[in-house]
Amino acid sequence: MDTTSKLYQDIENELLIPREKIAERVRTLGEQITQDYQDRNLVVVSILNGSVLFFADLIREIDLPLTIDFMQASSYGDSTRSSGFVHIKKDLDRSVEGKDILLVEDIVDSGRTLSYLKTMLKKRGASSIRIATLLDKPEGRQVDMEADYVGFIIPNAFVVGYGLDYSERYRNIPDIGILRPRVYQE
Ligand code: PRP
């Protein structure tokens, strides 16, 4: 997609993370994960929907036998504050017992979603649970939660693209940009 496309008119001119930088970082994360999971029972789990682009690129950079699975969670609350209660909209298809689980997220903000999922999968008997997130927004943190693999630490801005949405749109932008305030103030 060209940056002159109509979608780009809704994000700031200066991209937060251009596609080349994303690809380079994803490659490095894939190499690290490849080294760390030698001779393990790796299951890479995409937390839908935001992580799909990152997930698809990341697993192609992991040079190991692995399986994939998908999960969807939503945290209830009003639009600006989550309640801390996480609802599982789509559960995994297979058991995690004895497996080394790598949860893949697009962003860690309050940390609530991943904190909940980690506890849940531990109870189900996973051998290990780690988190790979493309973006980390430490200023949003409400609970103690750190990812094991972080693509980029970002400021407290409204970011979209490469899987991240505003009102379900902009996920297909190949770069990560800051949404222009006029879009959500309309
Ligand atoms: C986003 C993101 C994480 C969660 C992070 O999901 O993908 O799952 O919020 O926020 P937290 O750290 O405050 O819990 P969202 O519910 O927006 O769904 P989406 O992935 O379909 O966009």
Side-chain angles (χ1 to χ4, degrees), residues 6-8 14 23-24 27-28 45 52-53 67 82 97 107 111 119 121 137 140 142 150 158 164-165:
K6 198 159 181 282
L7 280 172
Y8 279 82
E14 195 181 334
E24 194 186 307
R27 213 169 299 132
T28 307
V45 174
V52 287
L53 277 74
T67 62
S82 81
E97 216 177 321
I107 187 164
T119 307
L121 297 181
K137 205 191 256 187
Q142 303 281 331
V150 176
F158 206 128
L164 291 110
D165 74 309

Side-chain angles (χ1 to χ4, degrees), residues 17 21 28 32 36 39 42 59 61 67 83 88 96 107 111 115 135 137 145 182:
I17 314 169
K21 270 192 134 180
T28 307
Q32 277 178 24
D36 294 352
D39 304 314
L42 178 60
I59 57 172
E61 300 292 347
T67 62
S83 63
I88 306 297
V96 298
I107 187 164
S115 168
L135 306 178
K137 205 191 256 187
M145 162 58 55
R182 65 159 167 77

